[in-house]
Amino acid sequence: MDIKHLQYFIEVARLRSFSKAASHMYVTQPTISKMLKNLENELGVHLFDRKSKKVELTDAGKVIYDQALVIDKAFKDLQYQLDNLQELKKGHIRIGLPPMIGSLHFPNIIGRFQERYPEISIQLVEKGSKRIEEDIDNGDLDLGVVVLPVNENLFEFYSFEREKLKLVLPPDHPFSEKDEIELTKLKDENFILFTEDFALHNRIISSCAVAGFKPSIISESSQWDFIGKMVASKLGIAFMPESICKDVHSDVAIVDVIDPSISWELAIIWRKKAYLSFAAREWLDFTIEKLNT
């Protein structure tokens, strides 16, 4: 039994005529008669009193008719909801953004997406890259922006930006007038880092290890603007992406770091082989298009 069997049955019962139901459903009368006979055989009951000159429902037919109406309505509601999703009239997207990344590209992109699809709701969750990866992996987020690399066995990704990290210093620091500084010369400095759930935390520590020292960490924060203010207050030094430095340069000095330089690469990621809703896929396509213009 499928939904079409029930819909043929409903039409015959409603119109009390096999011929009228056939005409209304754009099929032949023998087709409807055969389909309903198959339905009766499957259910093990007679749906119509065939001794009557008129098309009349049996007692079993009346019971099944009432339930068939409920099922048909639920099926049509389901079709309507799916059509809305496929036409992107409705939907909900859960996106993870690290705090310092969210302010760069995404307010404008998300605003333009909402203008095009006003009934799609977007839930933005601010977390570090590591937490975003975990939440996408366990299904709590649909997509997210993180710092590469990621586990390519778990995630698909689209890389959209690569830039160097800059050294952020108090304006009167002895190194503040330099154009560039070797990383090894920072071994006696106090470092202010992003918290451990940010990929940059380990990236900076690893780079210091390559330069031959372990950084002295005096503070950690998830907020880049707060880190900038701590540096401006002469509490320590920090590393920030070049694009972020544009917003903190008035209170601090910005210097290039070499030997080794430190960089980051940003990407949108989503779970490999996992279901991605119509709305989420449209947001992904829309965002990639805008990032490339």
Side-chain angles (χ1 to χ4, degrees), residues 71-199:
I71 295 170
D72 186 51
K73 183 179 184 304
F75 181 77
K76 288 176 179 176
D77 287 344
L78 175 62
Q79 285 186 312
Y80 174 77
Q81 294 295 331
L82 288 175
D83 287 344
N84 275 343
L85 286 174
Q86 291 172 328
E87 293 171 15
L88 297 173
K89 294 177 182 177
K90 293 183 179 179
H92 181 70
I93 314 169
R94 303 163 300 169
I95 303 170
L97 290 176
M100 60 179 152
I101 296 174
S103 62
L104 296 179
H105 306 283
F106 293 93
N108 180 54
I109 289 175
I110 291 170
R112 294 168 71 178
F113 183 84
Q114 295 268 235
E115 286 178 2
R116 182 177 294 186
Y117 305 110
E119 293 192 50
I120 294 179
S121 61
I122 296 178
Q123 177 186 355
L124 297 177
V125 179
E126 285 194 320
K127 293 182 178 180
S129 289
K130 294 180 183 178
R131 291 283 303 280
I132 289 173
E133 289 180 40
E134 292 172 2
D135 286 353
I136 292 176
D137 186 32
N138 62 33
D140 290 336
L141 291 174
D142 301 307
L143 310 107
V145 177
V146 302
V147 178
L148 293 179
V150 294
N151 186 338
E152 295 186 26
N153 293 322
L154 294 178
F155 303 107
E156 302 280 1
F157 67 90
Y158 172 78
S159 173
F160 64 89
E161 184 168 43
R162 182 182 178 88
E163 62 180 357
K164 290 183 177 180
L165 301 188
K166 298 279 191 175
L167 175 62
V168 183
L169 299 164
D172 58 353
H173 192 283
F175 297 149
S176 62
E177 298 299 323
K178 291 181 176 292
D179 292 327
E180 60 184 28
I181 186 80
E182 294 86 359
L183 183 57
T184 186
K185 291 185 177 179
L186 303 177
K187 60 185 177 62
D188 295 324
E189 300 289 335
N190 290 322
F191 282 66
I192 303 170
L193 298 186
F194 290 96
T195 54
E196 289 186 3
D197 61 329
F198 285 75

Side-chain angles (χ1 to χ4, degrees), residues 43-58:
L43 295 174
V45 296
H46 292 293
L47 300 174
F48 299 100
D49 182 0
R50 287 177 169 78
K51 297 179 180 178
S52 172
K53 294 181 180 180
K54 296 180 180 181
V55 176
E56 299 286 350
L57 288 170
T58 62

Side-chain angles (χ1 to χ4, degrees), residues 177-241:
E177 298 299 323
K178 291 181 176 292
D179 292 327
E180 60 184 28
I181 186 80
E182 294 86 359
L183 183 57
T184 186
K185 291 185 177 179
L186 303 177
K187 60 185 177 62
D188 295 324
E189 300 289 335
N190 290 322
F191 282 66
I192 303 170
L193 298 186
F194 290 96
T195 54
E196 289 186 3
D197 61 329
F198 285 75
L200 291 185
H201 180 95
N202 288 344
R203 180 72 53 85
I204 293 167
I205 292 176
S206 298
S207 296
C208 291
V210 171
F213 70 95
K214 181 179 180 181
S216 172
I217 303 169
I218 63 161
S219 184
E220 297 178 359
S221 174
S222 63
Q223 302 297 321
W224 63 263
D225 52 345
F226 184 59
I227 291 176
K229 289 177 180 178
M230 285 195 287
V231 172
S233 299
K234 304 179 184 181
L235 296 176
I237 66 171
F239 286 89
M240 291 189 185

